[in-house]
């Protein structure tokens, strides 16, 4: 009996197996159910491979050296960047201050942006750009691609920024463009005032392997006025100087063919200053202050003894010198207050009776009497205190005082009495000098060689004429404008409240002309240190990352195929 039961079970299994083999429909249905169950479980496996990034941030070096060669390194970087555009792309221009020109744009937006951007004439802060790019990538699979010639970069900053990005799971790869190129350029320039004229000196550097004689042309206010030449040994520098540089625009141009144009010219801007009319009111016939003012260029100085005074509106600057309580007619300071409110400039010099004169609140200080000797200190350096050694002035008498509300003190005595202070009043400015108009019983300031310089700087400052370095800047400088203004740049017109000088050439802000120059020996050095072969031939759109390879899509496709084949099979058997 036991043997018969075993034989029956074996026969039943064999019959079932033969039925499955004989009827493939059951096998297909079984396989269908198995694959559908696996697909619902969403299986995957992990693999470390090159994949397309969900969000690619492209950093393009926009420094001065990227303008070198033909086609330029920047053009090559732009062409390379197009191949890295993904579904979501951000683009950062790496100048000395990195700027985002596209954030999470599509393919068309990225390509339009790439066609629109241009290189600057600054250095490139690639490390800062990588940190900015890292912050732009959110919780997604992101990649950063840096495209640069890497000719003048801070490798330590780049390496540190890359480590931070890698710590966030973001891969950073490099694409190097450009080749070694020769260059001769102006790598340094300085404009200095010598008396009433200006002298310019610049450094011309030869990065080539051969000695070169470089022709030079000088243009002043648009006209060629001088030709010269300088011979520069290989990998060396030579100085070139200009004397008696005139007001207006001057250009020094190197007529030498090389791989970078923006350092072949140096631009000089010297403001054309209109003649300023100055009135000195004093009981003293010819005080040292008047002599110093009369020696200044572009000024017309008159001295008047009170009480009868001309109209203040006929003058740009009024200086109140040595006066007594009875010197001025009643209402004179009211007239001066109106003069300042409407934009005039007023200088009030310390004198013995000043504390007893009603000044209608114009004084930037409140005087409380006389004091003796004092040591001086420059509390706040300004344009009018530059190059003046106030600490060396011997003071035997001064007026004891304290600042008025809203006044700004620049030089103080050791008892905290202001010696130089100023205050804005309406559209004008009131300036106080505790040194007086030049009396040896008070101090020896008027006997020093920097006394005329002080007055020149005061007149320039109060007339809105800045130091010459404010009109001649290096690229990369950021200038706050205090509000949105229209600015003419070398390439066009922009409206901004913070101006970045990122081009060489002439800028115009309001009535001021400003010259901007590269003056950077590292950016002018176009030699390239080749990176790895991978950095020069980087595969577009791909980054290395550990990814989850999902299998459910393949399983669903297989399930659909089996279902379709089953329907075909049933139709072939005539059951449909």
């Amino acid at each position: 009996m036991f043997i018969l039961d075993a034989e029956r079970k074996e026969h039943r299994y064999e019959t079932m197996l033969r039925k499955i083999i004989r009827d493939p429909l059951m096998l297909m249905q079984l396989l269908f159910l198995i694959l559908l169950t696996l697909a619902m479980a969403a299986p995957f496996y992990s693999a470390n491979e090159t994949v397309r990034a969900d969000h690619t941030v492209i950093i393009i070096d926009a420094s001065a050296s990227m303008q070198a060669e033909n086609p330029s390194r920047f053009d090559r970087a732009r062409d390379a960047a197009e191949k890295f555009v993904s579904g979501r792309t951000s683009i950062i221009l790496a100048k000395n201050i990195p700027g985002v020109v596209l954030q999470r744009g599509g393919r068309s937006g990225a390509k339009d942006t790439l066609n629109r951007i241009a290189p600057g004439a600054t250095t490139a802060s690639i490390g800062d750009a990588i940190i900015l790019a890292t912050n732009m990538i959110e919780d997604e699979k992101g990649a950063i691609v840096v495209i640069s010639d890497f000719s003048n970069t801070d490798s330590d900053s780049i390496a540190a920024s890359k480590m931070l990005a890698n710590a966030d799971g973001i891969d950073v790869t490099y694409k190097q463009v450009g080749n070694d190129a020769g260059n001769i350029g102006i790598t340094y320039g300085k404009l200095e005032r010598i008396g009433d004229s200006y002298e310019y000196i610049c450094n011309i550097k030869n990065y080539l392997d051969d000695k070169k004689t470089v022709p030079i042309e000088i243009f002043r206010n648009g006209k060629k006025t001088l030709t010269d030449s300088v011979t520069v040994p290989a990998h060396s520098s030579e100085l070139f100087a200009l004397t008696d540089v005139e007001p207006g625009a001057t250009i020094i141009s190197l007529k030498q063919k090389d791989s970078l144009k923006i350092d072949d010219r140096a631009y000089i801007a010297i403001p054309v200053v209109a003649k300023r009319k100055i009135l000195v009111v004093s009981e003293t016939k010819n005080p040292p202050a008047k002599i110093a003012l009369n020696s200044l260029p572009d000024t017309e100085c008159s001295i008047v003894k009170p009480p009868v005074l001309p109209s203040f509106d006929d003058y740009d600057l009024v200086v109140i010198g040595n006066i007594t309580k009875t010197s001025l007619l009643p209402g004179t300071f009211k007239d001066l207050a109106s003069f300042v409110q409407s934009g005039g400039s007023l200088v009030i010099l310390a004198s013995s009776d000043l504390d007893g004169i009603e000044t209608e609140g114009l004084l930037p200080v409140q005087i409380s009497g006389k004091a003796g000797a004092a040591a001086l200190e420059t509390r706040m350096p300004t344009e009018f205190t530059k190059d003046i050694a106030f600490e060396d002035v011997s003071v035997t008498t001064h007026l004891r005082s304290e600042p008025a509300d809203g006044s700004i003190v620049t030089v103080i005595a050791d008892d905290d009495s202001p010696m130089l202070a100023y205050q804005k009043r309406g559209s004008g400015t009131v300036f106080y000098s505790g040194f007086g108009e030049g009396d040896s019983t008070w101090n020896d300031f008027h006997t020093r060689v920097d006394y005329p310089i002080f007055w020149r700087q005061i007149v320039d400052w109060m007339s809105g004429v800045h130091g010459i370095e404010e009109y001649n800047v290096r690229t990369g400088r950021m200038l706050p404008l205090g509000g949105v203004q229209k600015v003419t740049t070398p390439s066009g017109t922009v409206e901004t409240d913070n101006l970045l000088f990122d081009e060489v050439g002439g800028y115009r802000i309001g009535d001021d002309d400003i010259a901007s120059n590269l003056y950077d020996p590292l950016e002018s050095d176009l030699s390239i240190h080749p990176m790895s072969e991978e950095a020069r031939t980087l595969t577009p759109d791909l980054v290395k990352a550990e990814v989850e390879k999902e299998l459910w899509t393949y399983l669903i496709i297989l399930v659909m195929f089996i279902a379709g084949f089953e329907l075909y099979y049933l139709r072939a058997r005539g059951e449909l």
Side-chain angles (χ1 to χ4, degrees):
M1 180 68 70
F2 175 77
I3 294 173
L4 289 174
D5 288 341
E7 288 177 350
R8 290 192 191 99
K9 288 181 180 179
E10 184 179 352
H11 178 71
R12 190 164 58 247
Y13 292 145
E14 289 176 355
T15 303
M16 184 181 298
L17 183 60
R18 279 196 296 269
K19 185 178 179 181
I20 293 174
I21 295 172
R22 191 168 57 246
D23 188 3
L25 185 59
M26 182 179 292
L27 182 61
M28 284 189 289
Q29 290 174 343
L30 181 60
L31 185 59
F32 179 88
L33 291 173
I34 293 172
L35 293 177
L36 185 60
T37 303
L38 286 174
M40 293 175 64
F44 68 89
Y45 69 94
S46 296
N48 197 318
E49 59 180 46
T50 55
V51 298
R52 189 183 189 88
D54 289 337
H55 182 192
T56 302
V57 182
I58 303 173
I59 298 172
I60 301 179
D61 184 345
S63 64
S65 64
M66 292 292 285
Q67 298 190 37
E69 303 183 53
N70 186 21
S72 72
R73 296 174 182 178
F74 190 82
D75 288 340
R76 298 180 199 177
R78 191 161 44 189
D79 292 341
E82 283 193 19
K83 301 173 184 177
F84 291 92
V85 173
S86 62
R88 286 190 299 273
T89 302
S90 297
I91 300 175
I92 296 175
L93 278 186
K95 300 181 181 180
N96 64 312
I97 302 175
V100 178
V101 293
L102 178 68
Q103 187 163 0
R104 304 178 71 83
R107 285 182 174 275
S108 61
K111 291 184 178 181
D112 288 344
T113 300
L114 289 172
N115 290 332
R116 191 175 63 249
I117 59 177
T122 67
T123 57
S125 298
I126 293 179
D128 293 343
I130 293 175
I131 292 176
L132 177 59
T134 302
N135 294 332
M136 292 172 63
I137 296 176
E138 299 172 354
D139 296 333
E140 55 194 342
K141 184 169 60 185
I144 299 172
V145 179
V146 181
I147 307 176
S148 171
D149 58 5
F150 296 99
S151 68
N152 173 30
T153 54
D154 185 348
S155 56
D156 292 338
S157 172
I158 294 175
S161 300
K162 180 178 180 179
M163 288 178 61
L164 292 174
N166 292 158
D168 287 341
I170 302 170
D171 193 62
V172 181
T173 51
Y174 304 133
K175 172 70 175 177
Q176 189 176 35
V177 295
N179 301 291
D180 273 337
N183 187 37
I184 296 177
I186 301 173
T187 59
Y188 169 83
K190 184 178 181 181
L191 183 65
E192 189 174 11
R193 187 165 188 167
I194 307 296
D196 295 337
S197 62
Y198 291 90
E199 180 179 288
Y200 174 78
I201 187 168
C202 67
N203 191 62
I204 301 173
K205 188 165 184 177
N206 179 10
Y207 294 89
L208 301 172
D209 295 329
D210 302 317
K211 179 176 69 175
K212 293 290 182 181
T213 298
V214 184
I216 301 173
E217 293 180 347
I218 311 300
F219 297 85
R220 287 180 174 169
N221 297 321
K223 296 182 179 180
K224 185 164 69 173
T225 58
L226 181 67
T227 58
D228 206 335
S229 65
V230 61
T231 299
V232 189
H235 301 287
S236 298
S237 302
E238 288 292 333
L239 294 176
F240 178 78
L242 279 180
T243 57
D244 297 325
V245 184
E246 299 173 358
T250 301
I251 300 174
I252 294 93
S253 178
L254 308 185
K255 309 306 291 184
Q256 174 72 34
K257 290 185 178 181
D258 55 24
S259 297
L260 186 64
K261 299 302 180 186
I262 59 174
D263 61 357
D264 290 342
R265 284 190 163 199
Y267 298 84
I268 301 172
I270 300 176
V272 178
V273 180
K275 189 173 287 292
R276 294 157 293 187
K277 296 187 67 176
I278 302 174
L279 174 67
V280 178
V281 179
S282 175
E283 294 282 3
T284 308
K285 183 177 181 180
N286 206 21
K290 192 265 180 181
I291 297 172
L293 287 167
N294 211 34
S295 68
L296 301 181
D298 305 314
T299 59
E300 181 183 312
C301 186
S302 304
I303 186 167
V304 176
K305 185 175 182 178
V308 180
L309 304 176
S311 172
F312 300 132
D313 294 334
D314 295 333
Y315 295 89
D316 301 299
L317 174 66
V318 175
V319 179
I320 303 298
N322 180 32
I323 56 175
T324 65
K325 296 178 181 179
T326 59
S327 292
L328 301 178
L329 296 174
T332 299
F333 269 98
K334 284 186 178 181
D335 294 339
L336 285 170
S338 299
F339 167 71
V340 173
Q341 285 287 336
S342 60
S345 298
L346 174 64
V347 177
I348 301 177
L349 305 179
S351 58
S352 297
D353 288 352
L354 187 59
D355 59 333
I357 297 174
E358 175 53 54
T359 61
E360 301 293 334
L362 281 178
L363 268 176
V365 297
Q366 295 176 347
I367 301 171
S368 56
K370 279 188 179 181
L376 304 184
E377 176 189 351
T378 301
R379 169 171 287 181
M380 187 179 73
T382 62
E383 291 183 36
F384 55 80
T385 60
K386 183 180 62 176
D387 300 327
I388 310 296
F390 292 102
E391 293 78 5
D392 297 336
V393 175
S394 176
V395 176
T396 53
T397 303
H398 69 284
L399 295 180
R400 185 183 296 108
S401 61
E402 60 183 31
D405 291 341
S407 66
I408 298 174
V409 178
T410 61
V411 178
I412 61 170
D414 53 12
D415 62 355
D416 290 333
S417 295
M419 293 296 288
L420 295 179
Y422 68 91
Q423 190 172 30
K424 294 291 183 180
R425 293 275 185 169
S427 300
T429 303
V430 181
F431 185 88
Y432 166 77
S433 171
F435 294 101
E437 64 178 16
D439 186 341
S440 297
T441 62
W442 285 59
N443 57 74
D444 66 351
F445 187 30
H446 60 285
T447 66
R448 300 175 58 83
V449 294
D450 46 9
Y451 186 66
I453 298 174
F454 166 75
W455 276 109
R456 186 192 73 212
Q457 293 177 170
I458 284 291
V459 172
D460 284 348
W461 175 73
M462 298 194 79
S463 303
V465 179
H466 306 292
I468 197 63
E469 67 280 355
E470 297 298 317
Y471 298 95
N472 296 269
V473 301
R474 287 181 58 182
T475 56
R477 176 177 173 178
M478 182 69 79
L479 178 65
L481 301 179
V484 176
Q485 293 190 40
K486 183 178 288 186
V487 179
T488 302
T489 72
S491 62
T493 302
V494 298
E495 291 189 3
T496 182
D497 58 350
N498 281 292
L499 177 63
L500 174 64
F501 292 95
D502 61 351
E503 300 179 67
V504 296
Y507 287 75
R508 187 169 184 82
I509 307 172
D511 295 328
D512 294 333
D513 290 311
I514 299 176
S516 174
N517 293 284
L518 177 60
Y519 292 157
D520 191 322
L522 296 179
E523 284 295 324
S524 293
D525 184 355
L526 304 180
S527 59
I528 285 184
H529 307 288
M531 302 179 72
S532 66
E533 186 63 24
E534 181 184 6
R536 298 191 68 85
T537 59
L538 184 62
T539 304
D541 294 321
L542 300 177
V543 295
K544 291 180 178 179
E546 185 175 290
V547 297
E548 295 178 352
K549 302 290 290 183
E550 296 176 334
L551 299 174
W552 68 271
T553 52
Y554 303 104
L555 294 174
I556 289 293
I557 292 173
L558 190 55
V559 166
M560 293 175 65
F561 174 78
I562 292 173
F565 186 76
E566 182 179 349
L567 292 173
Y568 172 78
Y569 181 76
L570 289 172
R571 184 179 180 84
R573 291 202 321 185
E575 297 181 15
L576 281 179

